[in-house]
Amino acid sequence: GENVEQHPSTLSVQEGDSAVIKCTYSDSASNYFPWYKQELGKGPQLIIDIRSNVGEKKDQRIAVTLNKTAKHFSLHITETQPEDSAVYFCAASTGRGTGTASKLTFGTGTRLQVTL
Amino acid sequence: DGGITQSPKYLFRKEGQNVTLSCEQNLNHDAMYWYRQDPGQGLRLIYYSQIVNDFQKGDIAEGYSVSREKKESFPLTVTSAQKNPTAFYLCASSTSHRGSNQPQHFGDGTRLSIL
């Protein structure tokens, strides 16, 4: 089955700096890669996702890059703010078509701390 | 507001007892999922359902059971066979009629502890 590795497990940056979280996956058939942000005591919230036919996607201060050859994808947060402090999870899925559920395999998470 | 509601927020189980976690969604999603989250680990899939009256085992289904009698509801029962049930349980849903790999939306979880 799919295996997703995520690094680093903790990351501390100063406000205004950039943060980068990296993930690798094992199944070359994976074609969907979402990123989730989880705050304490809450469920994960989708912040950005990318499909295998795209190499990069941006949404304001957040960007995700995908390298299918190397089987890795990364989350980039620029101009970090204290409210970005949370746990971030990457995931991978091999969708099989309309009408099928998406079985996500998650990384182990990165705790991001943005300090003033 | 559309969303996913999990209840209760906290639940305590006695030895040998079955407990049921509730998950309701009003997003009109076909697919629903249950995940388990342990400290320092990612989410692991317990069961998922693509449509009413159908469900499939995920990676860690032993000691758990589910039902899907209504589109809006996907309750999870933690049975006495689950020897280490203490965890944070998350329910999610996604549409599936617009193609595969649609975003999953999560509830705010139920924290289950052993008495």
Side-chain angles (χ1 to χ4, degrees), chain A residues 6-112:
Chain A
Q6 182 172 348
H7 300 281
S9 57
T10 60
L11 179 60
S12 183
V13 299
Q14 284 199 316
E15 183 180 8
D17 287 350
S18 296
V20 180
I21 302 170
K22 298 181 179 181
C23 289
T24 60
Y25 60 98
S26 61
D27 189 346
S28 57
S30 288
N31 55 12
Y32 175 65
F33 307 92
W35 285 89
Y36 286 87
K37 175 183 180 181
Q38 186 177 29
E39 296 177 342
L40 196 61
K42 299 285 189 180
Q45 182 180 16
L46 179 74
I47 55 172
I48 195 167
D49 57 10
I50 191 168
R51 300 177 191 276
S52 58
N53 58 347
V54 174
E56 184 176 2
K57 184 177 179 181
K58 289 183 181 179
D59 183 4
Q60 299 183 345
R61 296 187 296 110
I62 294 174
V64 56
T65 58
L66 171 65
N67 183 327
K68 286 189 294 183
T69 303
K71 289 192 280 189
H72 69 69
F73 56 113
S74 301
L75 177 72
H76 305 253
I77 306 174
T78 59
E79 300 172 22
T80 54
Q81 301 167 4
E83 50 265 39
D84 294 329
S85 296
V87 179
Y88 292 80
F89 291 95
C90 63
S93 171
T94 54
R96 297 283 183 237
T98 300
T100 63
S102 301
K103 291 181 60 180
L104 292 175
T105 300
F106 283 82
T108 51
T110 296
R111 184 173 299 277
L112 174 65

Side-chain angles (χ1 to χ4, degrees), chain B residues 48-56 68 74:
Chain B
Y48 65 102
S49 167
Q50 298 183 121
I51 199 168
V52 174
N53 293 323
D54 176 74
F55 48 84
Q56 309 292 331
R68 186 86 188 276
F74 191 38

Side-chain angles (χ1 to χ4, degrees), chain B residues 11-74:
Chain B
L11 188 58
F12 298 91
R13 196 192 88 168
K14 295 180 182 179
E15 293 287 341
Q17 186 182 46
N18 292 354
V19 291
T20 297
L21 284 60
S22 170
C23 178
E24 303 277 333
Q25 55 99 0
N26 61 4
L27 299 167
N28 199 32
H29 285 169
D30 292 304
M32 296 187 74
Y33 314 79
W34 274 106
Y35 293 90
R36 171 181 171 137
Q37 186 175 28
D38 293 283
Q41 297 191 34
L43 284 66
R44 293 182 290 166
L45 184 64
I46 304 172
Y47 268 98
Y48 65 102
S49 167
Q50 298 183 121
I51 199 168
V52 174
N53 293 323
D54 176 74
F55 48 84
Q56 309 292 331
K57 291 183 179 179
D59 300 319
I60 55 166
E62 186 174 348
Y64 300 98
S65 66
V66 293
S67 63
R68 186 86 188 276
E69 297 176 1
K70 297 187 301 181
K71 186 176 185 177
E72 302 79 21
S73 178
F74 191 38

